[in-house]
Amino acid sequence: MQPYDYIEMKVPAKAQYVGVTRLAISGLASRVGFTFDEIEDLKIASGEAVTNAVQHAYKGEEGEVVVGCALFEDKIEIMIADNGSSFDFEETKKNVGPYNDEEEVQFLREGGLGLYLMESLMDEVKVHHEEGVTILMTKYLGGEQVDKDVRTITY
């Protein structure tokens, strides 16, 4: 296993902290050496994951979102986790977003854009949904290190 630095923060599950997490991830990605465009992709994907936690995890009750970043020489791994309500990622995926290669993006249904963006902008996306939801996303330096059609693994 490569050596890495790990940075973690907990923020209240409130909309005003989504930007804070995006800025923190932006700074960390810059430190690793990502380009401006790659950092923008990371900010959008992580912002969508944190926004999903804020909007859906606690259903109006107080809670926290944990954002963890592992900084490697050639990649960044981002974890967004909450302890709120879990959801069935595969079932949600069936009902939203153009996850079929034959579907056109203009037919994207409202509400599925976040999941679609995360898969489109990151090299790897994994979703765990047992007690709350944990999204693990990986982005490699210098472009994609995996097939263009990223495969999402859910547990």
Side-chain angles (χ1 to χ4, degrees):
M1 175 176 264
Q2 295 178 336
Y4 62 91
D5 292 331
Y6 180 75
I7 297 93
E8 183 175 287
M9 67 178 144
K10 289 182 183 178
V11 296
K14 296 180 179 177
Q16 58 264 39
Y17 293 101
V18 174
V20 172
T21 61
R22 286 171 37 102
L23 287 174
I25 290 169
S26 172
L28 295 170
S30 177
R31 179 167 165 65
V32 173
F34 284 97
T35 66
F36 176 81
D37 288 340
E38 291 169 329
I39 291 172
E40 290 302 309
D41 290 350
L42 287 162
K43 287 168 56 180
I44 291 169
S46 60
E48 290 296 330
V50 175
T51 298
N52 282 344
V54 167
Q55 290 181 339
H56 304 294
Y58 300 103
K59 299 184 179 11
E61 302 206 6
E62 291 189 16
E64 290 180 326
V65 179
V66 177
V67 179
C69 297
L71 310 179
F72 294 84
E73 284 185 23
D74 62 341
K75 66 182 176 181
I76 186 170
E77 293 180 349
I78 301 170
M79 174 197 70
I80 312 290
D82 65 67
N83 290 317
S85 304
S86 186
F87 73 104
D88 184 334
F89 181 74
E90 289 301 324
E91 186 62 33
T92 302
K93 199 166 118 174
K94 285 180 195 171
N95 297 324
V96 297
Y99 292 96
N100 181 338
D101 290 342
E102 297 172 12
E103 289 185 55
E104 300 289 330
V105 72
Q106 64 263 27
F107 299 115
L108 181 67
R109 289 174 291 275
E110 185 177 344
L113 190 58
L115 295 172
Y116 175 74
L117 287 173
M118 284 183 258
E119 288 189 329
S120 298
L121 299 173
M122 301 299 288
D123 294 323
E124 296 174 12
V125 177
K126 297 177 183 175
V127 180
H128 301 263
H129 52 86
E130 291 182 7
E131 293 180 23
V133 175
T134 301
I135 297 176
L136 299 169
M137 302 182 289
T138 303
K139 183 90 172 163
Y140 291 91
L141 271 174
E144 297 179 1
Q145 299 291 313
V146 296
D147 293 336
K148 264 195 159 247
D149 295 325
V150 67
R151 193 175 118 227
T152 301
I153 302 169
T154 59
Y155 301 94

